Amino acid sequence: MIHFVGAGPGAEDLITVRGAELLGQADLVIYAGSLVNPSLLDRYCRPDAKVLNSATMTLEEVVASMTEAERAGKTTVRLHTGDPSLYGAIREQMDALDRAHIPYDVTPGVSAFSGAAAALRAEYTLPAVSQSVIITRMEGRTPVPAGEKLHDLALHGCTMVLFLSAGLLEKVQDELLQGAYTEDTPAAIVYKATWPDQRIVNCTVGTLAAAARENGINRTALITVGGFLGASYDRSELYNPAFETGFRKATAAPPTEDTSASGKAKESHGQD
Ligand code: SAH
């Protein structure tokens, strides 16, 4: 059996319990060495497990290693960074396993975009600010389909999280400014979210490229953009006394000073 497992964003205790248990059972572990924290291997793998780093392998070599292990009756974990469903290149592996009639399953992981929000102590979906998150990347050596150019997506002005783009920030800045964002729209560069050497650089859309340059960041970072990084937002209806839900009757109107939580972004808004 082959288990695709999300390793989480970096911290070794941010893998799921299921993922850690599968790692402990594996005879063969093929891990994405460019991003998976190797201390996960030390902590969870059996000492006799065979470990391969896929950063130096092709798809064909990865599939050949899995197939060989499967024919020998072994258990394989294919360990991907964050959650495997985002930029994980797992579909092509699963299709190859389907063709070879090899069974597999997938264990999700904590994506870097969740790790980044935690590092920032931020909420991406603030009422009256943004109720949508666009997860995308800047077009570089890998093209993006028509209709998904960054300047088109930027027209929405909602919360945006850019993967795989930290080395292309001049272009990112230009494209974002062609949309609904302005030079002053808040942005944050989150380098190695949840790793011991995590770093956060707060800036604006107009200073993204300069901020990354000054801090020597050009990889392993997420770019987060939008008003969610600002001070103003509306409090949630979910916990508003005057708002009835399926679980709670409406009571009194809230005291006026609580109706808008503007300026108290970290302290006082609902958690769910
Ligand atoms: N499947 C992964 C993403 C893989 S693509 C996930 O769900 O997180 C690789 C890109 O993810 C990197 O170029 C970087 O933009 C981002 N990334 C991965 N781990 C990160 C981390 N700990 N902090 C910041 N960005 C990270």
Side-chain angles (χ1 to χ4, degrees):
M1 180 81 168
I2 315 291
H3 304 285
F4 291 91
V5 172
E12 60 186 52
D13 54 352
L14 282 178
I15 190 171
T16 63
V17 173
R18 186 189 298 178
E21 284 173 0
L22 288 170
L23 268 184
Q25 293 162 17
D27 302 295
L28 170 65
V29 177
I30 308 175
Y31 77 109
S34 56
L35 279 166
V36 169
N37 186 347
S39 67
L40 269 90
L41 305 175
D42 302 337
R43 176 156 169 179
Y44 300 111
C45 292
R46 288 194 340 237
D48 63 330
K50 182 176 171 189
V51 177
L52 298 176
N53 178 356
S54 63
T56 60
M57 298 166 77
T58 62
L59 169 64
E60 287 72 14
E61 288 167 340
V62 167
V63 172
S65 299
M66 289 173 172
T67 308
E68 186 187 295
E70 189 64 18
R71 303 282 182 248
K74 308 231 185 253
T75 297
T76 298
V77 165
R78 174 69 172 109
L79 191 62
H80 283 274
T81 182
D83 183 76
S85 72
L86 289 171
Y87 309 107
I90 59 165
R91 171 65 187 268
E92 60 202 28
Q93 299 173 64
M94 295 189 292
D95 283 350
L97 295 176
D98 283 339
R99 286 192 293 274
H101 305 288
I102 294 174
Y104 57 85
D105 59 17
V106 182
T107 299
V110 177
S111 175
F113 82 88
S114 299
L120 291 164
R121 296 184 296 165
E123 178 175 347
Y124 288 136
T125 53
L126 289 175
V129 176
S130 181
Q131 291 292 286
S132 311
V133 183
I134 293 182
I135 289 171
T136 189
R137 62 175 301 168
M138 182 67 223
E139 184 165 42
R141 283 167 61 204
T142 305
V144 302
E148 294 183 27
K149 305 290 179 196
L150 193 54
H151 58 260
D152 289 328
L153 298 179
L155 293 172
H156 297 280
C158 63
T159 300
M160 195 179 274
V161 181
L162 291 155
F163 284 71
L164 296 159
S165 305
L168 301 165
L169 289 185
E170 307 277 356
K171 191 91 181 86
V172 165
Q173 223 175 287
D174 277 3
E175 301 256 330
L176 293 179
L177 291 173
Q178 289 173 44
Y181 308 101
T182 67
E183 298 264 344
D184 296 332
T185 303
I189 303 167
V190 185
Y191 172 77
K192 294 185 87 171
T194 82
W195 287 67
D197 50 345
Q198 161 186 300
R199 272 193 290 153
I200 293 172
V201 179
N202 287 104
C203 58
T204 64
V205 168
T207 60
L208 262 174
R213 208 169 34 244
E214 278 157 25
N215 287 278
I217 298 173
N218 60 10
R219 60 198 296 273
T220 328
L222 286 180
I223 313 306
T224 66
V225 176
F228 83 96
L229 290 162
S232 303
Y233 63 95
D234 285 353
R235 62 174 285 171
S236 71
E237 295 293 15
L238 187 62
Y239 298 107
N240 181 346
F243 189 81
E244 187 155 318
T245 75
F247 297 93
R248 179 175 58 72
K249 291 260 174 261
T251 52
T256 39
E257 63 268 24
D258 281 346
T259 51
S260 167
S262 298
K264 298 182 197 164
K266 294 291 183 282
E267 288 83 39
S268 61
H269 62 286
Q271 302 294 303
D272 294 340

